[in-house]
């Protein structure tokens, strides 16, 4: 299966009649493996900050999480495995696997729990596959 089909078929899937706003799969180095058309262009320092927070949980909390220049308030996650952010009625879930970052961005009516489920399910599958 291609990385693009993971994004198109699994991350951008139907969620009770709705969809994530955008999604992507990136390598730990920030290179995009696949993304939805509306996914923001990430800046290198944004990816560096995300990776640093996975290594040292809590480093993004004081400054916020940035994706394509948009700031999200960091909320609860799983140290070293999941970062969650909130902005207004939407937010973001980032799951780290052995080789990649799975990112899902949502807005109402999609709920934080629905985004978490979609992103983390793909991430857990890739971890099981050694990726």
């Amino acid at each position: 299966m291609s990385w693009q089909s993971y994004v198109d078929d699994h991350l951008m899937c139907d969620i009770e009649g709705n969809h994530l706003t955008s999604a992507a799969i990136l390598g730990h180095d920030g290179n995009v493996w696949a993304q939805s058309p509306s996914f923001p262009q990430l800046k290198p320092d944004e990816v560096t900050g995300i990776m640093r927070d996975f290594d040292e949980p809590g480093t993004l909390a004081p400054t916020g999480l940035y994706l394509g220049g948009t700031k999200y308030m960091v909320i609860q996650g799983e140290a070293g495995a999941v970062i969650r952010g909130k902005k207004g009625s939407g937010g973001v879930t980032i799951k780290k696997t052995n080789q990649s970052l799975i990112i899902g961005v949502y807005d109402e009516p999609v709920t934080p729990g629905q985004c978490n489920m979609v992103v983390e399910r793909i991430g857990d599958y890739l971890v099981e596959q050694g990726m």
Side-chain angles (χ1 to χ4, degrees):
M1 185 183 308
S2 77
W3 292 113
Q4 192 62 50
S5 63
Y6 279 103
V7 171
D8 297 341
D9 302 337
H10 299 287
L11 291 171
M12 298 301 292
C13 65
D14 181 83
I15 308 168
E16 297 179 18
N18 300 299
H19 301 272
L20 296 179
T21 306
S22 62
I25 301 174
L26 296 86
H28 288 179
D29 59 4
N31 285 327
V32 176
W33 296 359
Q35 66 183 13
S36 64
S38 60
F39 191 77
Q41 179 69 40
L42 299 184
K43 299 173 182 146
D45 60 322
E46 294 173 341
V47 176
T48 301
I50 291 166
M51 291 303 296
R52 185 178 315 116
D53 196 80
F54 279 121
D55 292 336
E56 303 168 35
T59 57
L60 283 177
T63 59
L65 163 67
Y66 286 85
L67 290 181
T70 300
K71 182 179 180 178
Y72 295 85
M73 179 178 65
V74 178
I75 55 176
Q76 91 288 346
E78 290 174 47
V82 179
I83 298 171
R84 297 185 182 108
K86 184 93 174 114
K87 179 179 177 9
S89 61
V92 61
T93 302
I94 306 172
K95 169 76 175 177
K96 181 183 178 197
T97 72
N98 299 335
Q99 300 174 17
S100 66
L101 298 174
I102 315 298
I103 304 175
V105 179
Y106 68 93
D107 210 339
E108 286 184 335
V110 174
T111 67
Q114 289 171 322
C115 181
N116 295 343
M117 181 188 69
V118 168
V119 171
E120 293 176 41
R121 184 175 55 205
I122 296 298
D124 290 342
Y125 171 77
L126 291 176
V127 168
E128 289 170 13
Q129 302 304 307
M131 305 182 79

